[in-house]
Amino acid sequence: MKKPVFALFGLVLPLIANSTAEAQVTLDVSKITCWQFATYKVANADKIAIWLNGYFHGKRGDLVVDTQALAGNTDKLQEYCIKNGDVPLMQAVDTLVGSLN
């Protein structure tokens, strides 16, 4: 009787551990550098760019998402970050937001 219980426990434990580990991942965007953003060291750059787009549009009260502009702005941000790797990402976005509007 013990073997089936241990076998079941052995199959379920990795699933529980994996789901718990995934739920613990958070990012402090204010600490991300351009280098980390441009080289995908912390997360997928496109996902961070989508979050940044929503954050800055939300600050302006703008609820419209222009997906083509988002893609172009993401490319511009990546180009800027490749040239300015030590700059904090939020500062890079602040610098570019004026020139993108």
Coordinates of all heavy atoms in Angstrom, one line a residue:
M1 N 0.8 -1.2 0.0 CA 0.0 0.0 0.0 C 0.9 1.3 0.0 O 0.4 2.3 -0.5 CB -0.9 0.0 1.2 CG -2.1 -1.0 1.2 SD -3.2 -0.9 -0.1 CE -4.2 0.5 0.3
K2 N 2.0 1.2 0.6 CA 2.8 2.4 0.7 C 3.4 2.9 -0.6 O 3.6 4.0 -0.9 CB 4.0 2.2 1.7 CG 3.5 2.1 3.1 CD 4.6 2.0 4.1 CE 4.1 1.9 5.5 NZ 5.2 1.9 6.5
K3 N 3.7 1.9 -1.5 CA 4.3 2.3 -2.8 C 3.5 3.2 -3.7 O 3.9 4.2 -4.2 CB 4.7 1.0 -3.6 CG 5.9 0.4 -3.0 CD 6.4 -0.8 -3.8 CE 7.5 -1.5 -3.1 NZ 8.0 -2.6 -3.9
P4 N 2.2 2.9 -3.8 CA 1.3 3.8 -4.6 C 1.3 5.2 -4.0 O 1.3 6.2 -4.7 CB 0.0 3.2 -4.7 CG 0.2 1.7 -4.4 CD 1.4 1.7 -3.5
V5 N 1.2 5.3 -2.7 CA 1.1 6.6 -2.0 C 2.4 7.4 -2.3 O 2.4 8.6 -2.6 CB 0.9 6.5 -0.5 CG1 1.0 7.8 0.2 CG2 -0.5 5.9 -0.3
F6 N 3.6 6.8 -2.1 CA 4.8 7.4 -2.3 C 5.0 7.8 -3.8 O 5.5 8.9 -4.1 CB 6.0 6.6 -1.9 CG 6.2 6.5 -0.4 CD1 6.1 5.3 0.3 CD2 6.4 7.7 0.3 CE1 6.3 5.2 1.6 CE2 6.5 7.6 1.7 CZ 6.5 6.4 2.4
A7 N 4.5 7.0 -4.7 CA 4.6 7.3 -6.1 C 3.8 8.5 -6.5 O 4.2 9.4 -7.2 CB 4.2 6.1 -7.0
L8 N 2.6 8.6 -5.9 CA 1.7 9.7 -6.1 C 2.3 11.0 -5.6 O 2.3 12.0 -6.2 CB 0.3 9.4 -5.5 CG -0.7 10.6 -5.7 CD1 -1.0 10.8 -7.2 CD2 -2.0 10.2 -5.0
F9 N 2.8 10.9 -4.4 CA 3.5 12.0 -3.7 C 4.7 12.5 -4.6 O 4.9 13.7 -4.7 CB 4.0 11.6 -2.3 CG 4.6 12.7 -1.6 CD1 3.8 13.8 -1.1 CD2 6.0 12.8 -1.3 CE1 4.4 14.8 -0.4 CE2 6.6 13.8 -0.6 CZ 5.8 14.8 -0.2
G10 N 5.4 11.6 -5.1 CA 6.6 11.9 -5.9 C 6.2 12.6 -7.2 O 6.9 13.4 -7.8
L11 N 5.0 12.4 -7.7 CA 4.5 13.0 -8.9 C 3.9 14.4 -8.6 O 4.0 15.3 -9.4 CB 3.5 12.1 -9.7 CG 4.0 10.8 -10.3 CD1 2.8 10.0 -10.8 CD2 5.0 11.1 -11.4
V12 N 3.3 14.5 -7.5 CA 2.5 15.8 -7.2 C 3.5 16.8 -6.6 O 3.4 18.0 -6.9 CB 1.4 15.5 -6.2 CG1 0.8 16.7 -5.7 CG2 0.4 14.6 -6.8
L13 N 4.5 16.4 -5.8 CA 5.4 17.4 -5.2 C 6.1 18.3 -6.2 O 6.1 19.5 -6.0 CB 6.4 16.6 -4.3 CG 7.4 17.5 -3.5 CD1 6.6 18.4 -2.6 CD2 8.4 16.7 -2.8
P14 N 6.6 17.8 -7.3 CA 7.3 18.7 -8.3 C 6.3 19.8 -8.8 O 6.6 20.9 -9.1 CB 7.8 17.8 -9.3 CG 8.0 16.5 -8.7 CD 6.9 16.4 -7.7
L15 N 5.1 19.3 -9.0 CA 4.1 20.3 -9.6 C 3.7 21.4 -8.6 O 3.6 22.5 -8.9 CB 2.8 19.5 -9.9 CG 2.9 18.5 -11.1 CD1 1.6 17.7 -11.2 CD2 3.3 19.2 -12.3
I16 N 3.6 21.0 -7.3 CA 3.4 22.0 -6.3 C 4.6 23.0 -6.2 O 4.4 24.2 -6.1 CB 3.1 21.3 -4.9 CG1 1.7 20.6 -5.0 CG2 3.0 22.4 -3.8 CD1 1.5 19.7 -3.8
A17 N 5.8 22.4 -6.1 CA 7.0 23.2 -6.0 C 7.1 24.2 -7.1 O 7.5 25.3 -7.0 CB 8.2 22.3 -5.8
N18 N 6.9 23.7 -8.4 CA 7.0 24.5 -9.5 C 6.0 25.7 -9.5 O 6.4 26.8 -9.8 CB 6.8 23.7 -10.8 CG 7.2 24.4 -12.0 OD1 8.0 25.3 -12.0 ND2 6.5 24.1 -13.1
S19 N 4.8 25.4 -9.2 CA 3.8 26.5 -9.2 C 4.0 27.5 -8.1 O 3.8 28.7 -8.3 CB 2.4 25.9 -9.1 OG 2.2 25.3 -7.8
T20 N 4.6 27.1 -7.0 CA 4.9 28.0 -5.9 C 6.1 28.9 -6.4 O 6.1 30.1 -6.1 CB 5.3 27.2 -4.7 OG1 4.2 26.4 -4.3 CG2 5.6 28.2 -3.5
A21 N 7.1 28.3 -7.0 CA 8.3 29.1 -7.4 C 7.9 30.2 -8.5 O 8.4 31.3 -8.4 CB 9.3 28.2 -8.0
E22 N 7.0 29.8 -9.4 CA 6.6 30.8 -10.4 C 5.9 32.0 -9.8 O 6.0 33.1 -10.3 CB 5.8 30.1 -11.5 CG 6.6 29.2 -12.3 CD 5.8 28.5 -13.4 OE1 4.7 29.0 -13.7 OE2 6.2 27.4 -13.8
A23 N 5.1 31.8 -8.8 CA 4.3 32.8 -8.2 C 5.2 33.8 -7.4 O 4.7 34.9 -7.1 CB 3.3 32.2 -7.3
Q24 N 6.4 33.5 -7.2 CA 7.3 34.4 -6.3 C 8.1 35.4 -7.2 O 8.8 36.2 -6.6 CB 8.2 33.5 -5.5 CG 7.5 32.6 -4.5 CD 6.7 33.3 -3.5 OE1 7.1 34.4 -3.0 NE2 5.5 32.8 -3.2
V25 N 8.0 35.4 -8.5 CA 8.8 36.2 -9.3 C 8.2 37.6 -9.4 O 7.1 37.8 -9.9 CB 9.0 35.6 -10.7 CG1 9.9 36.5 -11.6 CG2 9.7 34.3 -10.6
T26 N 9.0 38.6 -9.0 CA 8.5 40.0 -9.2 C 9.7 40.8 -9.7 O 10.9 40.5 -9.5 CB 8.0 40.6 -7.9 OG1 9.1 40.6 -6.9 CG2 6.8 39.9 -7.4
L27 N 9.5 41.9 -10.3 CA 10.5 42.8 -10.8 C 10.3 44.2 -10.3 O 9.1 44.7 -10.3 CB 10.5 42.9 -12.3 CG 10.9 41.7 -13.1 CD1 10.7 41.9 -14.6 CD2 12.4 41.3 -12.8
D28 N 11.3 44.9 -9.8 CA 11.3 46.3 -9.5 C 11.8 47.0 -10.7 O 13.0 47.1 -11.0 CB 12.1 46.6 -8.3 CG 12.0 48.0 -7.8 OD1 11.5 48.9 -8.6 OD2 12.5 48.3 -6.7
V29 N 10.9 47.6 -11.5 CA 11.2 48.2 -12.8 C 12.2 49.4 -12.6 O 13.0 49.6 -13.4 CB 10.0 48.6 -13.6 CG1 10.3 49.2 -14.9 CG2 9.1 47.4 -13.8
S30 N 12.1 50.0 -11.5 CA 12.9 51.2 -11.2 C 14.4 50.8 -11.1 O 15.3 51.6 -11.2 CB 12.5 51.9 -9.9 OG 12.7 51.1 -8.8
K31 N 14.7 49.5 -10.9 CA 16.1 49.0 -10.7 C 16.6 48.4 -12.0 O 17.8 48.0 -12.0 CB 16.2 48.1 -9.6 CG 15.8 48.7 -8.2 CD 16.0 47.8 -7.1 CE 15.6 48.5 -5.8 NZ 15.7 47.6 -4.6
I32 N 15.8 48.3 -13.0 CA 16.3 47.7 -14.3 C 17.2 48.7 -15.0 O 16.8 49.8 -15.2 CB 15.1 47.2 -15.1 CG1 14.3 46.1 -14.4 CG2 15.6 46.7 -16.5 CD1 13.0 45.7 -15.2
T33 N 18.3 48.2 -15.5 CA 19.2 49.1 -16.3 C 18.8 48.9 -17.8 O 18.2 47.9 -18.2 CB 20.7 48.8 -16.1 OG1 20.9 47.5 -16.6 CG2 21.1 49.0 -14.7
C34 N 19.3 49.8 -18.6 CA 19.1 49.7 -20.1 C 19.8 48.4 -20.6 O 19.2 47.7 -21.4 CB 19.7 50.9 -20.8 SG 18.5 52.2 -21.1
W35 N 21.0 48.1 -20.0 CA 21.7 46.9 -20.5 C 20.9 45.7 -20.2 O 20.7 44.8 -21.0 CB 23.0 46.8 -19.8 CG 23.8 45.6 -20.1 CD1 24.6 45.4 -21.2 CD2 23.9 44.4 -19.4 NE1 25.1 44.1 -21.2 CE2 24.7 43.5 -20.1 CE3 23.3 44.0 -18.2 CZ2 24.9 42.2 -19.6 CZ3 23.6 42.7 -17.7 CH2 24.4 41.8 -18.4
Q36 N 20.3 45.6 -19.0 CA 19.4 44.4 -18.6 C 18.2 44.3 -19.6 O 17.8 43.2 -20.0 CB 19.0 44.5 -17.2 CG 20.1 44.3 -16.2 CD 19.7 44.6 -14.8 OE1 18.9 45.6 -14.5 NE2 20.1 43.8 -13.9
F37 N 17.6 45.5 -19.9 CA 16.5 45.5 -20.8 C 16.8 45.0 -22.2 O 16.2 44.1 -22.8 CB 15.9 46.9 -20.8 CG 14.8 47.1 -21.8 CD1 13.5 46.6 -21.6 CD2 15.0 47.7 -23.0 CE1 12.5 46.8 -22.5 CE2 14.0 47.9 -24.0 CZ 12.8 47.4 -23.7
A38 N 17.9 45.6 -22.7 CA 18.3 45.4 -24.1 C 18.8 44.0 -24.3 O 18.7 43.4 -25.4 CB 19.3 46.4 -24.6
T39 N 19.4 43.3 -23.3 CA 19.9 42.0 -23.4 C 19.0 40.9 -22.9 O 19.5 39.8 -22.7 CB 21.3 41.9 -22.8 OG1 21.2 42.2 -21.4 CG2 22.3 42.8 -23.4
Y40 N 17.8 41.3 -22.5 CA 16.8 40.3 -22.0 C 17.3 39.6 -20.7 O 16.9 38.4 -20.5 CB 16.5 39.3 -23.1 CG 15.7 39.8 -24.3 CD1 16.3 40.7 -25.1 CD2 14.4 39.4 -24.5 CE1 15.5 41.1 -26.2 CE2 13.7 39.8 -25.6 CZ 14.3 40.7 -26.4 OH 13.5 41.2 -27.5
K41 N 18.0 40.3 -19.9 CA 18.6 39.6 -18.7 C 17.6 39.5 -17.6 O 17.7 38.6 -16.7 CB 19.8 40.4 -18.1 CG 21.0 40.4 -19.1 CD 21.5 39.0 -19.2 CE 22.7 39.0 -20.1 NZ 23.2 37.7 -20.5
V42 N 16.5 40.3 -17.5 CA 15.5 40.2 -16.5 C 14.2 39.6 -16.9 O 13.5 39.0 -16.1 CB 15.3 41.5 -15.8 CG1 16.5 42.0 -15.0 CG2 14.9 42.6 -16.7
A43 N 13.9 39.8 -18.2 CA 12.6 39.3 -18.7 C 12.6 39.7 -20.2 O 13.5 40.4 -20.7 CB 11.4 40.0 -18.0
N44 N 11.6 39.2 -20.9 CA 11.4 39.5 -22.3 C 11.2 41.0 -22.4 O 10.3 41.6 -21.8 CB 10.2 38.7 -22.8 CG 9.9 38.9 -24.3 OD1 9.9 40.1 -24.8 ND2 9.8 37.8 -25.0
A45 N 12.0 41.7 -23.2 CA 11.9 43.1 -23.4 C 10.6 43.6 -23.9 O 10.1 44.7 -23.5 CB 13.0 43.6 -24.3
D46 N 9.9 42.8 -24.7 CA 8.6 43.2 -25.3 C 7.6 43.3 -24.1 O 6.7 44.2 -24.1 CB 8.1 42.2 -26.3 CG 9.0 42.3 -27.6 OD1 9.5 43.4 -27.9 OD2 9.0 41.4 -28.4
K47 N 7.6 42.3 -23.2 CA 6.7 42.4 -22.1 C 6.9 43.6 -21.2 O 6.0 44.2 -20.7 CB 6.8 41.1 -21.3 CG 6.2 39.9 -22.1 CD 6.3 38.6 -21.3 CE 5.8 37.4 -22.1 NZ 5.8 36.2 -21.4
I48 N 8.2 43.9 -20.9 CA 8.5 45.1 -20.1 C 8.1 46.3 -20.8 O 7.5 47.2 -20.2 CB 10.0 45.1 -19.8 CG1 10.4 43.9 -18.9 CG2 10.4 46.4 -19.1 CD1 11.8 43.8 -18.6
A49 N 8.3 46.4 -22.1 CA 7.8 47.5 -22.9 C 6.3 47.7 -22.9 O 5.8 48.8 -22.8 CB 8.3 47.4 -24.4
I50 N 5.6 46.6 -22.9 CA 4.1 46.7 -22.8 C 3.7 47.3 -21.5 O 2.9 48.2 -21.4 CB 3.5 45.4 -23.1 CG1 3.6 45.0 -24.5 CG2 2.0 45.4 -22.7 CD1 3.3 43.5 -24.8
W51 N 4.4 46.8 -20.4 CA 4.1 47.4 -19.1 C 4.4 48.8 -19.0 O 3.7 49.7 -18.5 CB 4.9 46.6 -18.0 CG 4.6 47.1 -16.6 CD1 3.6 46.6 -15.8 CD2 5.2 48.1 -15.9 NE1 3.6 47.3 -14.6 CE2 4.6 48.2 -14.7 CE3 6.2 49.0 -16.2 CZ2 4.9 49.2 -13.7 CZ3 6.6 50.0 -15.2 CH2 6.0 50.0 -14.0
L52 N 5.6 49.2 -19.5 CA 6.0 50.6 -19.5 C 5.0 51.5 -20.3 O 4.7 52.6 -19.9 CB 7.4 50.8 -20.1 CG 8.6 50.3 -19.3 CD1 9.8 50.2 -20.1 CD2 8.8 51.2 -18.1
N53 N 4.6 51.0 -21.4 CA 3.6 51.7 -22.2 C 2.3 52.0 -21.4 O 1.8 53.1 -21.4 CB 3.3 50.9 -23.5 CG 2.3 51.6 -24.4 OD1 2.6 52.7 -24.9 ND2 1.1 51.1 -24.6
G54 N 1.8 51.0 -20.8 CA 0.7 51.1 -19.9 C 0.9 52.1 -18.8 O 0.0 52.9 -18.4
Y55 N 2.1 52.0 -18.2 CA 2.4 52.8 -17.0 C 2.4 54.3 -17.4 O 1.8 55.2 -16.8 CB 3.8 52.4 -16.4 CG 4.2 53.3 -15.3 CD1 3.7 53.2 -14.0 CD2 5.2 54.3 -15.6 CE1 4.2 54.0 -13.0 CE2 5.6 55.2 -14.6 CZ 5.1 55.0 -13.3 OH 5.6 55.8 -12.3
F56 N 3.1 54.6 -18.5 CA 3.2 56.0 -18.9 C 1.9 56.6 -19.5 O 1.6 57.7 -19.3 CB 4.4 56.2 -19.8 CG 5.7 56.3 -19.1 CD1 6.5 55.2 -18.9 CD2 6.1 57.5 -18.5 CE1 7.7 55.3 -18.2 CE2 7.3 57.6 -17.8 CZ 8.1 56.5 -17.6
H57 N 1.2 55.7 -20.2 CA -0.1 56.2 -20.7 C -1.1 56.4 -19.6 O -1.9 57.3 -19.6 CB -0.7 55.1 -21.7 CG -0.1 55.3 -23.1 ND1 -0.7 56.1 -24.1 CD2 1.0 54.7 -23.7 CE1 0.0 56.1 -25.2 NE2 1.0 55.2 -25.0
G58 N -1.0 55.5 -18.6 CA -1.9 55.7 -17.4 C -1.6 57.0 -16.6 O -2.5 57.6 -16.2
K59 N -0.3 57.3 -16.6 CA 0.0 58.6 -15.9 C -0.6 59.8 -16.6 O -0.9 60.8 -16.0 CB 1.6 58.8 -15.8 CG 2.2 57.9 -14.8 CD 3.7 58.1 -14.8 CE 4.2 59.4 -14.3 NZ 5.6 59.6 -14.2
R60 N -0.7 59.7 -17.9 CA -1.3 60.8 -18.7 C -2.8 60.6 -18.8 O -3.5 61.5 -19.4 CB -0.7 60.8 -20.1 CG 0.8 61.1 -20.1 CD 1.2 61.3 -21.6 NE 0.9 60.2 -22.4 CZ 1.9 59.5 -23.0 NH1 3.1 59.7 -22.8 NH2 1.5 58.5 -23.8
G61 N -3.4 59.5 -18.4 CA -4.8 59.3 -18.5 C -5.3 58.9 -19.9 O -6.4 59.0 -20.2
D62 N -4.3 58.4 -20.6 CA -4.6 58.0 -22.0 C -4.9 56.5 -22.0 O -4.0 55.7 -21.7 CB -3.3 58.3 -22.9 CG -3.5 57.9 -24.3 OD1 -4.6 57.5 -24.7 OD2 -2.5 58.0 -25.1
L63 N -6.1 56.2 -22.5 CA -6.5 54.8 -22.4 C -6.4 54.1 -23.8 O -6.9 53.0 -24.0 CB -7.9 54.7 -21.9 CG -8.1 55.2 -20.5 CD1 -9.5 55.1 -20.0 CD2 -7.2 54.5 -19.5
V64 N -5.8 54.7 -24.8 CA -5.7 54.2 -26.1 C -4.4 53.5 -26.3 O -3.3 54.1 -26.0 CB -5.9 55.3 -27.2 CG1 -5.7 54.8 -28.6 CG2 -7.3 56.0 -27.0
V65 N -4.4 52.3 -26.9 CA -3.2 51.6 -27.2 C -3.0 51.5 -28.7 O -3.9 50.9 -29.4 CB -3.2 50.1 -26.6 CG1 -2.0 49.4 -27.0 CG2 -3.4 50.2 -25.1
D66 N -2.0 52.1 -29.2 CA -1.6 52.1 -30.6 C -0.5 51.0 -30.7 O 0.6 51.3 -30.4 CB -1.1 53.4 -31.1 CG -0.8 53.5 -32.6 OD1 -0.6 52.4 -33.2 OD2 -0.7 54.6 -33.1
T67 N -0.9 49.8 -31.2 CA 0.1 48.7 -31.2 C 1.2 48.9 -32.2 O 2.3 48.5 -31.9 CB -0.7 47.4 -31.5 OG1 -1.3 47.5 -32.8 CG2 -1.7 47.0 -30.5
Q68 N 1.0 49.6 -33.3 CA 2.1 49.9 -34.2 C 3.1 50.9 -33.6 O 4.3 50.7 -33.7 CB 1.6 50.4 -35.5 CG 0.9 49.3 -36.3 CD 0.3 49.8 -37.6 OE1 0.1 51.0 -37.8 NE2 0.2 48.9 -38.6
A69 N 2.5 51.9 -32.9 CA 3.4 52.9 -32.2 C 4.2 52.2 -31.1 O 5.4 52.5 -30.9 CB 2.6 54.1 -31.7
L70 N 3.5 51.3 -30.4 CA 4.2 50.6 -29.3 C 5.4 49.8 -29.8 O 6.5 49.8 -29.3 CB 3.2 49.6 -28.6 CG 3.8 48.7 -27.6 CD1 4.5 49.4 -26.4 CD2 2.7 47.7 -27.0
A71 N 5.2 49.1 -30.9 CA 6.3 48.3 -31.5 C 7.5 49.2 -32.0 O 8.6 48.9 -31.7 CB 5.8 47.5 -32.7
G72 N 7.1 50.3 -32.6 CA 8.2 51.3 -33.0 C 8.9 51.9 -31.8 O 10.1 52.1 -31.8
N73 N 8.1 52.3 -30.8 CA 8.7 52.8 -29.6 C 9.6 51.8 -28.8 O 10.7 52.2 -28.3 CB 7.7 53.4 -28.6 CG 6.9 54.6 -29.2 OD1 7.4 55.2 -30.2 ND2 5.8 54.9 -28.7
T74 N 9.2 50.6 -28.9 CA 10.0 49.5 -28.2 C 11.4 49.4 -29.0 O 12.4 49.3 -28.3 CB 9.3 48.2 -28.3 OG1 8.0 48.3 -27.5 CG2 10.1 47.1 -27.6
D75 N 11.3 49.5 -30.3 CA 12.6 49.4 -31.1 C 13.5 50.6 -30.7 O 14.7 50.5 -30.6 CB 12.3 49.4 -32.6 CG 11.6 48.1 -33.0 OD1 11.7 47.1 -32.3 OD2 11.0 48.1 -34.1
K76 N 12.9 51.8 -30.7 CA 13.6 53.0 -30.3 C 14.3 52.9 -28.9 O 15.4 53.3 -28.7 CB 12.8 54.2 -30.4 CG 12.4 54.6 -31.9 CD 11.4 55.7 -31.9 CE 11.0 56.0 -33.4 NZ 10.0 57.0 -33.5
L77 N 13.5 52.4 -28.0 CA 14.0 52.2 -26.6 C 15.1 51.2 -26.6 O 16.2 51.4 -25.9 CB 12.9 51.8 -25.7 CG 13.2 51.5 -24.2 CD1 13.8 52.8 -23.6 CD2 12.0 51.1 -23.4
Q78 N 15.0 50.1 -27.3 CA 16.1 49.1 -27.4 C 17.4 49.7 -28.0 O 18.5 49.5 -27.5 CB 15.7 47.9 -28.1 CG 14.7 47.0 -27.3 CD 14.3 45.7 -28.0 OE1 14.0 45.7 -29.2 NE2 14.3 44.6 -27.3
E79 N 17.2 50.5 -29.1 CA 18.4 51.1 -29.7 C 19.0 52.1 -28.7 O 20.3 52.1 -28.6 CB 17.9 51.9 -30.9 CG 17.5 51.0 -32.1 CD 16.9 51.8 -33.3 OE1 17.1 53.0 -33.3 OE2 16.2 51.1 -34.1
Y80 N 18.2 52.9 -28.0 CA 18.8 53.8 -27.0 C 19.5 53.1 -25.9 O 20.6 53.4 -25.5 CB 17.6 54.7 -26.4 CG 18.1 55.6 -25.4 CD1 18.5 56.9 -25.7 CD2 18.1 55.3 -24.0 CE1 18.9 57.8 -24.8 CE2 18.6 56.2 -23.1 CZ 19.0 57.4 -23.4 OH 19.4 58.3 -22.5
C81 N 18.9 52.0 -25.5 CA 19.5 51.2 -24.4 C 20.8 50.5 -24.8 O 21.7 50.3 -23.9 CB 18.5 50.2 -23.8 SG 17.2 51.0 -22.7
I82 N 20.9 50.1 -26.0 CA 22.1 49.5 -26.5 C 23.3 50.5 -26.4 O 24.4 50.1 -26.0 CB 21.9 48.9 -27.9 CG1 21.0 47.7 -27.8 CG2 23.3 48.6 -28.5 CD1 20.6 47.2 -29.2
K83 N 23.0 51.7 -26.7 CA 24.0 52.8 -26.7 C 24.3 53.3 -25.3 O 25.3 53.9 -25.0 CB 23.6 53.9 -27.6 CG 23.5 53.5 -29.1 CD 23.0 54.6 -29.9 CE 22.8 54.2 -31.3 NZ 22.2 55.2 -32.2
N84 N 23.3 53.2 -24.4 CA 23.4 53.7 -23.0 C 23.1 52.7 -22.0 O 22.1 52.8 -21.2 CB 22.4 54.9 -22.9 CG 22.6 56.0 -23.9 OD1 23.5 56.8 -23.8 ND2 21.8 56.0 -25.0
G85 N 23.9 51.6 -21.9 CA 23.6 50.5 -21.1 C 23.5 50.8 -19.6 O 22.8 50.1 -18.9
D86 N 24.2 51.8 -19.1 CA 24.2 52.0 -17.6 C 23.1 52.9 -17.2 O 22.9 53.0 -16.0 CB 25.5 52.7 -17.2 CG 26.7 51.8 -17.4 OD1 26.5 50.6 -17.3 OD2 27.9 52.3 -17.6
V87 N 22.3 53.4 -18.1 CA 21.2 54.3 -17.7 C 20.0 53.5 -17.2 O 19.7 52.4 -17.7 CB 20.7 55.1 -19.0 CG1 19.5 55.9 -18.7 CG2 21.8 56.0 -19.5
P88 N 19.4 53.9 -16.1 CA 18.2 53.2 -15.6 C 17.1 53.2 -16.6 O 16.9 54.2 -17.3 CB 17.8 54.0 -14.3 CG 19.1 54.7 -13.9 CD 19.8 55.0 -15.2
L89 N 16.4 52.1 -16.8 CA 15.4 52.0 -17.8 C 14.3 53.1 -17.7 O 13.9 53.7 -18.7 CB 14.8 50.6 -17.8 CG 13.7 50.3 -18.8 CD1 14.3 50.4 -20.2 CD2 13.1 49.0 -18.6
M90 N 13.9 53.4 -16.5 CA 12.8 54.4 -16.3 C 13.4 55.8 -16.8 O 12.6 56.5 -17.3 CB 12.4 54.4 -14.9 CG 11.6 53.2 -14.4 SD 10.1 52.8 -15.4 CE 9.0 54.0 -14.7
Q91 N 14.6 56.1 -16.5 CA 15.2 57.3 -17.0 C 15.3 57.4 -18.5 O 15.0 58.4 -19.1 CB 16.6 57.5 -16.4 CG 17.3 58.8 -16.8 CD 18.7 58.9 -16.2 OE1 19.0 58.4 -15.1 NE2 19.6 59.6 -16.9
A92 N 15.6 56.2 -19.1 CA 15.6 56.2 -20.6 C 14.3 56.4 -21.2 O 14.1 57.2 -22.1 CB 16.2 54.8 -21.0
V93 N 13.3 55.9 -20.6 CA 11.9 56.1 -21.1 C 11.5 57.6 -20.9 O 11.0 58.2 -21.8 CB 10.9 55.2 -20.4 CG1 9.5 55.5 -20.8 CG2 11.2 53.7 -20.7
D94 N 11.8 58.1 -19.7 CA 11.6 59.6 -19.5 C 12.2 60.4 -20.6 O 11.7 61.4 -21.1 CB 12.1 60.0 -18.1 CG 11.1 59.6 -17.0 OD1 9.9 59.5 -17.3 OD2 11.6 59.5 -15.8
T95 N 13.5 60.1 -20.9 CA 14.2 60.8 -21.9 C 13.5 60.7 -23.3 O 13.4 61.7 -24.0 CB 15.7 60.3 -22.0 OG1 16.3 60.4 -20.7 CG2 16.4 61.0 -23.1
L96 N 13.1 59.5 -23.6 CA 12.5 59.2 -24.9 C 11.1 59.7 -25.1 O 10.6 60.0 -26.2 CB 12.7 57.8 -25.3 CG 14.1 57.3 -25.6 CD1 14.0 55.8 -25.8 CD2 14.7 58.0 -26.8
V97 N 10.3 59.7 -24.0 CA 8.9 60.0 -24.1 C 8.6 61.3 -24.7 O 7.8 61.5 -25.6 CB 8.2 59.9 -22.7 CG1 6.8 60.5 -22.7 CG2 8.1 58.4 -22.3
G98 N 9.4 62.3 -24.4 CA 9.3 63.7 -25.0 C 9.5 63.7 -26.5 O 8.8 64.3 -27.2
S99 N 10.5 62.9 -26.9 CA 10.8 62.9 -28.3 C 9.9 61.9 -29.1 O 9.9 62.0 -30.3 CB 12.3 62.4 -28.5 OG 12.5 61.1 -28.1
L100 N 9.2 61.1 -28.4 CA 8.3 60.1 -29.1 C 6.9 60.7 -29.3 O 6.1 60.2 -30.1 CB 8.2 58.8 -28.4 CG 9.5 58.0 -28.3 CD1 9.2 56.8 -27.4 CD2 10.0 57.6 -29.6
N101 N 6.5 61.8 -28.6 CA 5.2 62.3 -28.7 C 5.1 63.5 -29.6 O 6.0 64.2 -30.0 CB 4.7 62.7 -27.3 CG 4.5 61.5 -26.4 OD1 4.0 60.5 -26.9 ND2 4.7 61.7 -25.2

